[in-house]
Every structure is written in structure tokens, then in C-alpha cells.
Amino acid sequence: MTLLCGDCRDLMPAQGPYDLILADPPYGETSLSWDRRVEGWLPLAAQALTPSGSLWVFGSLRSFMATEADFRAARLRHAQEIVWEKQNGSVFHADRFRRVHELIVQFYPATARWQDIYNAVATTDDARARTVRRKRRPPHTGAIAAGTYRSLDGGPRLARSVQRFRNVHGRAIHPTEKPVPLLDLLVRVSCPPDGLVGDWFAGSGAAGVACRLAGRRYVGCEIDPDMARP
Ligand SMILES: C[S@@+](CC[C@H](N)C(=O)[O-])C[C@H]1O[C@@H](n2cnc3c(N)ncnc32)[C@H](O)[C@@H]1O
């Protein structure tokens, strides 16, 4: 576990290559002094991935729309996104919906094929025995067995793209600290056991805790010396 203090654009490329890059950059959406969009890190991150590596980036739809050309210029291709649903959220505008979610979007180099990217498909463990009834037999299946069957274990179920985790309000050491269980999910799905995770905008270092729990190696980088101090 390593936490570097400085600018990720200077320090992180040399620490790779990374099996997974986690990036929770400032979204550049508020007037807060630390919330300034960081330019130029995307091509460096894209080049610092292993051949099976990918990048999960936190943001809002507004921040992704504002930086869409940067992702394209860095030759990063969208793979999928998940929505993190929180129990409470931020009020940016008193005349709009209260935002209780964040987007986390996975990208991989456009030079790679998706099937070559490390991807431990997330399934849920809440499957239950159930009776499955086919309402209508699909016409192309011809004469197949009964339209009702008993599924003993429910079968593996793909995890939902909307994931609910309590945020860390009240206990956080960083104003935008992400919950460890959410980071743990990303790390287990997209980094092989013992692989290397690069956390380019580390903040509190919560992703380091997730990596420790999941048995992945971790290099984080944070520009704020107060936050980076152990
Ligand atoms: C949204 S926060 C990350 C929060 C983090 N994911 C957590 O769970 O605590 C973004 C962080 O990036 C840091 N930062 C901004 N520019 C940076 C840069 N060029 N290199 C490294 N860190 C930077 C900020 O100081 C801030 O702590």
C-alpha cells in the first residue's frame, strides 16, 4: 500500500502499469476552491493500463458531458456505468430534484477488445428457489419440455446496475469520501486478485482500505498534503 503526495499527472504514470485505475477527480461543478477540473490526466491514465486493464471514473452526467471529448481524445471507450444510490444527497439547486446518486463509468482503451479486459462478472448471492413459469413458448424453440420448472438455487443473477450504499456522512475525513463497500465492488470486479490498483485522486484513501480487504495492491495519489498525511 503506497500513498503518494503530489500531482497524479507527475507521479502516477511511473508507478504503473495498473490492472485497474480508479479516478474520482474533482467534478468542477461548484465554486469550492478544491473543486477545479484537472486537465490532461486521461491520456496518461489510458497509457498506464495493463493490456487487460480498465478505468472506473466517478462523475455526474454534467461532468461527463463536459469532458466527453477528452475521453475520445485519450482513445478511451465506454464499457458500462453504474449508478450509486445514496441514502441522502446534495442540494445544488432548490428548484430541481435532490441528487441522491453518482455515476461511475467504466472505460477501456479503444485499442483493446472488451473480451480481453479483466471482468469478474458481478452476480448477487440473493438467489432463491423459485418456480419459473414460461408464459408463452417462444416460436423458434419447437417442441420443448414443460413450460414450468423448478429452479432450485435460483441461478446466478447479474448484479443490478443501480447499487445502494450508505454514504459516509458524519464519519468521513474527506468531504467527498466514497464508501468502502462500493469501492470494494469495483475492485473485485475489475482487478484480478493481487493485481495493482491506481487511485489517481485518492482523497481519504478509502480505496486503499478496499484494496486491503480485497487483497489487491494499491498506489494512491493525493495532492493535498493534509489529506495525504498518514
Ligand atoms: C473527489 S475527491 C476524491 C475522494 C476520494 N475518492 C475519497 O473517497 O476520499 C478528489 C481529490 O483529488 C485531489 N486532487 C485534485 N487534483 C489532483 C491532482 N492533480 N493529483 C492528485 N490529486 C488531486 C483533491 O485534493 C481531492 O482530495
Side-chain angles (χ1 to χ4, degrees):
M1 310 283 272
T2 306
L3 188 59
L4 306 170
C5 181
D7 191 320
C8 61
R9 293 167 290 190
D10 299 332
L11 301 180
M12 289 301 268
Q15 304 291 321
Y18 302 99
D19 297 288
L20 165 65
I21 291 179
L22 291 174
D24 183 15
Y27 294 5
E29 289 190 327
T30 66
S31 55
L32 296 169
S33 59
W34 52 265
D35 192 20
R36 294 279 168 274
R37 196 163 285 144
V38 179
E39 306 291 339
W41 67 275
L42 273 171
L44 300 170
Q47 284 156 24
L49 291 167
T50 63
S52 60
S54 66
L55 180 72
W56 279 101
V57 185
F58 284 77
S60 61
L61 184 57
R62 190 189 292 261
S63 71
F64 283 113
M65 286 174 74
T67 53
E68 193 265 338
D70 300 340
F71 283 92
R72 231 167 337 112
R75 309 211 53 216
L76 285 165
R77 183 174 285 160
H78 168 274
Q80 59 180 331
E81 74 280 340
I82 62 176
V83 175
W84 166 34
E85 184 191 350
K86 320 173 205 182
Q87 82 280 16
N88 57 23
S90 342
V91 180
F92 285 115
H93 306 279
D95 57 349
R96 302 176 207 186
F97 289 98
R98 171 192 283 268
R99 196 167 87 190
V100 293
H101 73 280
E102 309 281 332
L103 292 178
I104 317 160
V105 185
Q106 187 184 21
F107 297 89
Y108 64 102
T111 48
R113 298 179 311 164
W114 169 245
Q115 56 266 45
D116 297 329
I117 302 301
Y118 182 83
N119 180 35
V121 178
T123 51
T124 57
D125 54 7
D126 60 349
R128 293 210 179 82
R130 65 203 163 116
T131 300
V132 180
R133 281 191 192 83
R134 278 198 205 96
K135 288 207 178 75
R136 211 181 306 141
R137 189 172 290 165
H140 61 275
T141 54
I144 55 169
T148 301
Y149 64 92
R150 181 91 183 135
S151 167
L152 289 181
D153 64 357
R157 255 184 267 194
L158 287 177
R160 290 162 52 85
S161 62
V162 177
Q163 291 280 323
R164 192 162 214 276
F165 293 103
R166 290 189 71 77
N167 60 20
V168 215
H169 284 170
R171 300 173 278 133
I173 60 168
H174 188 283
T176 62
E177 186 170 327
K178 302 301 178 287
V180 169
L182 165 64
L183 298 162
D184 180 83
L185 175 70
L186 302 177
V187 163
R188 288 181 198 269
V189 164
S190 300
C191 181
D194 211 30
L196 179 63
V197 174
D199 181 15
W200 285 44
F201 301 88
S204 64
V209 178
C211 287
R212 201 183 179 113
L213 293 173
R216 271 68 170 175
R217 290 172 294 127
Y218 173 85
V219 180
C221 184
E222 170 55 47
I223 205 164
D224 176 353
D226 289 337
M227 197 47 70
R229 197 175 307 130

